[in-house]
Amino acid sequence: MNLLRMIAIQKKSNPKKRLSQPHRNRLLFYYNLTIEGSGVKHPPLFYFMKSDKPLALITNDDSIDSYFLHVLVEEASKNFDIIVCAPEEEKSWIGHAISRHQKLCPVEKKGQFPCQAFALNGTPADCVNFAIGNLFPRDPDLVISGINLGYNITLPMILSSGTVGAALEGSLLGVRSFASSMSLPVENFEEIRKNLGKVEGDIAESLTHAAQMTAQYANEWVQHPTQEGLPVHNLNFPSNYDGKEEPILSFAGSLRLGSLFQKVENQNYHQLVYRPEWLEQNEPEIGSDLWVLEQGKPTVSRLDFADLAGRKHLEP
């Protein structure tokens, strides 16, 4: 059945209701993307129209090649139908940035995921906005961003995080959104980052547990009515997570970071240098995300970015 036939059937069944032009354009784009030259026998467009599984967009800020992303997709595919759209290269510490002048060009990554996947030459928030507007046959039921290499706890890191920024874009578009991150040993972090998140042994096992729990948590919440405001569920897992405990509800801790930029030796420029001791030397508030993670437990903070609107100052 081709696209025009599908539209004709819809029109015949409900002659007073017409597909909007943006919807027609989206269907046509997706039809061309998946049919012409793809060799797909049963286009994902029609599969998603028939499937009972919730439809998920999965992204990250560590790039489409991140092993942490692949593990999350593998586990989440048991609960959801998925389309992946992630940055073509690492876009950490970029928050909710949206590209103003970048010419965005999605590239399909065939055979690399158990679902359709696209690399985009943009930010994590770009990936969410672009995918929902151009790659999906309908609005997704949820957005999952992660799993991030390293934690995203306390307000300074949450507000700087590309992982959280992508989830925030999903929430701004009215979609249930989740950000997921996993703490890593400080001494191994840079090596893991250079290896695109490829880990083995105990850390790999913890990563699998974190991916399973992220999918389980998101699947539970997608059954609930959509929340008011701009909620983002921010999950963080310890590096030795065994999968036995569900994330403990917490709040985003406060933390004052020092200057992020340090002069590079024998060079005439400064570069961002993150110091883990900022967290290690801080006395966390009991019940905060930092406090829970320091207990070796998984944590989730249900952030609501609508609080930034300043409404509380107008309340009596």
Side-chain angles (χ1 to χ4, degrees), residues 43-63:
L45 170 61
F46 302 108
Y47 172 72
F48 290 147
M49 291 177 67
K50 294 185 294 183
S51 175
D52 292 330
K53 287 184 178 181
L55 179 56
L57 165 61
I58 295 187
T59 188
N60 71 354
D61 73 358
D62 291 311
S63 87

Side-chain angles (χ1 to χ4, degrees), residues 39 49 101 141 179 198:
M49 291 177 67
H101 298 290
D141 299 296
K198 187 64 179 176

